[in-house]
Amino acid sequence: NAGVMQNPRHLVRRRGQEARLRCSPMKGHSHVYWYRQLPEEGLKFMVYLQKENIIDESGMPKERFSAEFPKEGPSILRIQQVVRGDSAAYFCASSPLDRPNEKLFFGSGTQLSVL
Amino acid sequence: AQKITQTQPGMFVQEKEAVTLDCTYDTSDQSYGLFWYKQPSSGEMIFLIYQGSYDEQNATEGRYSLNFQKARKSANLVISASQLGDSAMYFCAIGSTAGGTSYGKLTFGQGTILTVHP
């Protein structure tokens, strides 16, 4: 049973380019969460999605960031016109949600470096 | 709003000894869950242990136990019989469990780096 799969593992972009980060949740999980970890800090919640729906995007920056979780395929976190401050590790997590006290299963993360 | 405070930036422990990592929290929710995650140098986030706010017994998972003191709002992680492979960053986190289900929007602390010496 494969875990949460994120790719790419490392992504290098120049300022002004677009970054696309992909996340495939665990089999049977239909809820996806994106977190960002800046250097020397803990993870910060960005967005919570279910299939074709954004449930909570209270942690998403207002500009340049968007997320989707289509009916088919992985969840995508998209960052347009990247800046150096976007350099961070981006983690995806999934859960089935419908069971109490269910822990989140995290992927291995994507390390984004903006040159 | 929820907040997690981990006051120990770094901790050292001798192999086979026990170590306690501190975590205090603040929340206005009546129903919540407390989590500990381990992040080794390879970067992945590994779930260790969970404690629900209404659980009367402290949670245990193998060598990990959670010392939950609700009145003090603390949820310290105890690792018994430390191993070299326990060297990692450890994060405490809190999430709302309104409605009896776990909601994956967690608030994390800054983390504690644990180093296990042989």
Side-chain angles (χ1 to χ4, degrees):
Chain A
N1 188 14
V4 178
M5 305 299 291
Q6 287 189 251
N7 67 83
R9 190 78 172 89
H10 300 277
L11 181 62
V12 179
R13 285 288 177 265
R14 295 191 182 280
R15 281 179 296 170
Q17 290 184 321
E18 178 179 287
R20 281 183 176 241
L21 288 62
R22 295 175 192 78
C23 168
S24 296
M26 285 185 70
K27 186 177 181 181
H29 289 189
S30 56
H31 306 269
V32 165
Y33 308 84
W34 285 94
Y35 284 79
R36 176 165 66 175
Q37 184 180 28
L38 294 170
E40 311 298 326
E41 292 189 12
L43 278 68
K44 297 257 191 314
F45 169 81
M46 298 181 76
V47 63
Y48 163 35
L49 309 106
Q50 296 179 18
K51 286 283 187 182
E52 300 184 282
N53 282 308
I54 297 175
I55 307 301
D56 183 342
E57 57 181 347
S58 58
M60 286 280 270
K62 293 286 186 282
E63 298 176 348
R64 301 188 297 108
F65 284 72
S66 63
E68 63 176 8
F69 189 16
K71 187 176 180 181
E72 301 290 337
S75 175
I76 305 286
L77 179 67
R78 181 182 178 206
I79 311 172
Q80 295 178 290
Q81 299 174 331
V82 296
V83 301
R84 288 220 173 103
D86 297 333
S87 295
Y90 291 82
F91 287 91
C92 170
S94 73
S95 82
L97 188 66
D98 56 339
R99 292 201 290 273
N101 307 332
E102 188 64 49
K103 64 182 181 280
L104 286 186
F105 294 84
F106 280 86
S108 296
T110 293
Q111 182 66 50
L112 172 65
S113 298
V114 179
L115 303 178
Chain B
Q2 299 175 324
K3 185 179 178 182
I4 292 284
T5 302
Q6 294 180 253
T7 56
Q8 305 155 316
M11 287 287 285
F12 295 89
V13 65
Q14 207 71 24
E15 196 179 6
K16 299 180 185 176
E17 297 290 314
V19 63
T20 297
L21 305 183
D22 294 342
C23 171
T24 57
Y25 63 91
D26 193 18
T27 181
S28 55
D29 293 326
Q30 294 299 312
S31 177
Y32 52 89
L34 294 152
F35 302 77
W36 277 91
Y37 283 86
K38 172 184 177 181
Q39 186 176 43
S41 57
S42 51
E44 70 268 34
M45 293 289 288
I46 302 167
F47 168 81
L48 295 179
I49 197 166
Y50 167 88
Q51 178 85 41
S53 57
Y54 290 112
D55 294 341
E56 294 187 354
Q57 301 259 0
N58 284 344
T60 59
E61 291 277 358
R63 294 185 300 111
Y64 304 108
S65 60
L66 200 152
N67 184 3
F68 182 46
Q69 298 189 42
K70 196 170 182 178
R72 295 187 177 186
K73 294 192 173 180
S74 74
N76 298 340
L77 176 71
V78 180
I79 304 175
S80 62
S82 298
Q83 302 173 354
L84 296 178
D86 293 336
S87 293
M89 177 75 90
Y90 288 80
F91 290 101
C92 181
I94 187 170
S96 171
T97 55
T101 58
S102 176
Y103 176 29
K105 180 180 179 181
L106 301 183
T107 299
F108 283 81
Q110 295 286 89
T112 296
I113 299 175
L114 175 66
T115 303
V116 180
H117 289 301

